[in-house]
Amino acid sequence: EVQLVESGGGLVQPGGSLRLSCAASAFTFSSYWMSWVRQAPGKGLEWVANINLDGSAKYYGDSVKGRFTISRDNAKNSVFLQMNSLRAEDTAVYYCARDWSGNDRTFDYWGQGTLVTVSS
Amino acid sequence: DIQMTQSPSTLSASVGDRVTITCRASQSINWWLAWYQQKPGKAPKLLIYKASSLESGVPSRFSGSVSGTEFTLTISSLQPDDFATYYCQQYNTYSRTFGGGTKVEV
């Protein structure tokens, strides 16, 4: 069964950094784009970033551009989100999701989410 | 960037009702639109992809349609398990965009 398991969330002070990880299993990881999506408490879904198959192309939402970096390690079936210069408004549950493999489907599997709280 | 405008933001309905949720794209996204259902404390679940294709395992009471840049999710007969929040999402561009969500409540 396809699984995505996020880790690395926690409490961090404004201006601080955090690195999220997402471990994938039971599918050919290197055949899929991967995304991070977040959801602030009581709010809707916000796409954060995605990365292509070999990591050579990365795209970011406007609210995180220049502060967050997405990366992947296909040998370890993992995708990462390095978050720097964190702000209170970055407080959210962060989900990783299987984005796209070139067919018609998208975001068909999601992790359980990891909570990031930015507060002093 | 492509904006996705979803309406209504909240919808009050009863079991057995026909429910319609609309999502309008700010520009052409061809048919690259997905719909998700999310329940409190849970990750979203894919319902519909490429505007009208039903994801495996999703009940046939869910359907999607498109007219130009306006996309519609229809639940033909609302069931108790369907009270949730629904989101649309475009994937025509590499930068993805979600709609604001529609909460379907009693």
Side-chain angles (χ1 to χ4, degrees):
Chain A
E1 181 187 354
V2 171
Q3 276 201 316
L4 298 170
V5 180
E6 302 97 336
S7 59
L11 175 64
V12 61
Q13 292 188 338
S17 298
L18 211 55
R19 188 187 194 222
L20 305 183
S21 300
C22 172
S25 59
F27 67 98
T28 306
F29 180 73
S30 58
S31 294
Y32 286 84
W33 286 61
M34 296 296 295
S35 265
W36 287 95
V37 176
R38 70 183 181 183
Q39 187 168 37
K43 301 297 184 183
L45 300 173
E46 180 187 10
W47 175 78
V48 173
N50 65 1
I51 187 167
N52 72 341
L53 306 186
D54 63 2
S56 61
K58 305 170 186 182
Y59 299 86
Y60 298 93
D62 288 343
S63 62
V64 307
K65 210 170 288 184
R67 299 187 300 124
F68 290 11
T69 302
I70 189 171
S71 61
R72 66 189 296 161
D73 184 336
N74 286 343
K76 295 183 178 179
N77 289 346
S78 294
V79 61
F80 308 98
L81 187 67
Q82 177 67 43
M83 304 185 295
N84 297 332
S85 303
L86 283 161
R87 307 166 180 167
E89 53 266 36
D90 296 317
T91 294
V93 173
Y94 285 74
Y95 296 100
C96 74
R98 193 171 82 167
D99 187 320
W100 186 63
S101 67
N103 61 18
D104 293 343
R105 296 165 77 232
T106 190
F107 287 77
D108 53 351
Y109 287 93
W110 297 63
Q112 83 288 351
T114 187
L115 177 63
V116 172
T117 304
V118 183
S119 174
S120 55
Chain B
D1 288 359
I2 298 175
Q3 309 301 317
M4 304 301 296
T5 303
Q6 193 173 335
S7 61
S9 55
T10 307
L11 190 159
S12 296
S14 301
V15 172
D17 283 354
R18 182 181 181 88
V19 167
T20 299
I21 298 168
T22 298
C23 195
R24 185 182 300 272
S26 60
Q27 63 189 71
S28 173
I29 58 170
N30 300 296
W31 282 45
W32 299 111
L33 184 109
W35 290 97
Y36 303 89
Q37 178 193 68
Q38 188 181 33
K39 296 182 178 179
K42 299 294 186 182
K45 172 188 174 184
L46 176 65
L47 300 175
I48 302 283
Y49 61 92
K50 207 174 182 187
S52 63
S53 295
L54 191 68
E55 174 68 347
S56 176
V58 174
S60 60
R61 62 181 180 273
F62 291 92
S63 64
S65 62
V66 57
S67 177
T69 58
E70 185 168 290
F71 297 81
T72 300
L73 173 70
T74 299
I75 309 172
S76 60
S77 178
L78 197 67
Q79 298 302 301
D81 191 49
D82 301 338
F83 290 96
T85 301
Y86 294 84
Y87 295 92
C88 64
Q89 179 232 336
Q90 70 81 18
Y91 55 113
N92 183 63
T93 60
Y94 293 131
S95 293
R96 316 310 195 186
T97 318
F98 286 93
T102 296
K103 184 177 182 180
V104 177
E105 59 184 22
V106 176

